[in-house]
Amino acid sequence: MRAREQLLGYWCLLDAPVATERVARLGYDYVALDAQHGLFGFSGMLNNLLAIDAKGSTAVGLVRVEANDPGPIGRALDAGATGVIVPLVDTAEQAAEAVAAVRYPPYGRRSYGPMRSALRIGPDPAAAHDATVVLAMIETAEGLADVARICATPGLDGVYVGPSDLRLALGGATSTDPALADTFEAALVTVREAAAAAGIAAGIHNPDGPSAAKRLAEGFTFATVACDLVHLEQTARRHLSAARTPGEAL
C-alpha cells in the first residue's frame, strides 16, 4: 500500500468467522471488518481477525474503527489488525490525531499492550510501525475541502473514499443519487490527485467487482468490493427467482 501498488479487498459486516475465513482464502489482498456499522462487537472483531489469518488465507485484516479515538484504534491494532480505516476525517489535524493513535511514542500516543498483535506483527514498536497502516476516510464536504492537507499529513498511509456518505454530503438526496454523478466524479478526481501528489495510497469502496476494476483503472490504488451481507441477500434473491421461474439465468 505504501508503494501505491494496486490492491483489492473485501468488506465484512457480519459476525461470521467461518464465512470470513472462506472469503480470506479467495485471493483478496485484504479483508476489512466494519466495526463502525458492522454487526459485531470486540469479540466478533477478534474472532474474525483470527479467521482472516487462518491457514490458506491470502489476505490481511483491516478494521474500520468506530471513531477517530485512541481507544477503538488501539483495540483493533492490539487484536491483530494490520491497519485501521478511520471514519469522518475532516481536517489535517484530525488525520494527525489518527496517525498518533496508531503509532507508539515518540511518534504517537498508542498505548503499549499488543495482546494478540505481538504474536503476528511483533512486540517491537518499530516492527509494528512498519507492518501497520492508517487510512483516513474522505466522506464529508469538509474532508474533501481539506483533502490536500489531509493527504500531506506525516505518517498517513492513505485515504479512503466513503462514497455513500460523500455523495450525501455533496447534496445527494440518497446515497446513490444519480443527479450528483458529475459532482461526485469530480470529487473523486480531487481525492485521487491529492493522494498522488502526496505519494500516498487512494482507495474507494465499491458495490461490485466491475466498479472496483473501473476505479483502479481510473487511478485509485486500492478498491474494496462490498460486502458479505449484501452479497448474501443478492445471491439468495437470484436463486429464489430462478427457482420460481425455471430456466432463468442466475
Side-chain angles (χ1 to χ4, degrees):
M1 187 169 284
R2 291 190 180 118
R4 302 189 81 244
E5 296 177 7
Q6 290 193 336
L7 302 172
L8 277 168
Y10 193 78
W11 197 262
C12 289
L13 291 166
L14 298 175
D15 186 0
V18 175
T20 300
E21 181 179 10
R22 294 176 75 95
V23 168
R25 295 166 60 93
L26 294 177
Y28 288 100
D29 298 301
Y30 62 89
V31 174
L33 306 177
D34 190 348
Q36 182 186 26
H37 297 301
L39 306 175
F40 51 80
F42 177 79
S43 62
M45 178 179 69
L46 175 61
N47 288 333
N48 281 278
L49 285 170
L50 287 164
I52 293 168
D53 292 334
K55 182 179 179 181
S57 171
T58 64
V60 298
L62 303 181
V63 174
R64 175 165 68 175
V65 295
E66 62 196 67
N68 188 2
D69 180 272
I73 290 173
R75 282 194 295 275
L77 294 171
D78 289 349
T82 301
V84 292
I85 303 168
V86 181
L88 299 170
V89 175
D90 292 337
T91 66
E93 289 74 21
Q94 291 177 1
E97 291 173 1
V99 172
V102 170
R103 307 300 178 207
Y104 291 115
Y107 308 107
R109 55 194 299 257
R110 178 182 172 187
S111 178
Y112 189 80
M115 294 299 95
R116 175 173 177 258
S117 63
L119 302 176
R120 61 178 307 277
I121 295 174
D124 182 68
H129 294 164
D130 287 342
T132 54
V133 296
V134 53
L135 309 171
M137 290 200 73
I138 305 299
E139 53 186 343
T140 66
E142 294 82 1
L144 181 64
D146 205 26
V147 68
R149 287 202 320 131
I150 290 172
C151 288
T153 301
L156 188 69
D157 297 297
V159 288
Y160 186 71
V161 174
S164 295
D165 279 317
L166 183 57
R167 195 179 293 257
L168 290 171
L170 295 176
T174 68
S175 63
T176 58
D177 188 352
L180 264 289
D182 291 344
T183 300
F184 180 73
E185 293 299 324
L188 297 189
V189 173
T190 298
V191 174
R192 291 199 313 266
E193 292 181 347
I200 66 171
I204 187 169
H205 200 79
N206 300 274
D208 50 47
S211 299
K214 175 178 181 288
R215 297 309 185 187
L216 291 175
E218 291 171 348
F220 280 95
T221 55
F222 67 102
T224 310
V225 180
C227 65
D228 54 0
L229 181 60
V230 171
H231 288 163
L232 175 64
E233 181 181 15
Q234 289 174 342
T235 300
R237 181 184 293 116
R238 285 198 302 267
H239 282 282
L240 175 61
S241 178
R244 285 179 169 167
T245 309
E248 181 175 307
L250 290 175

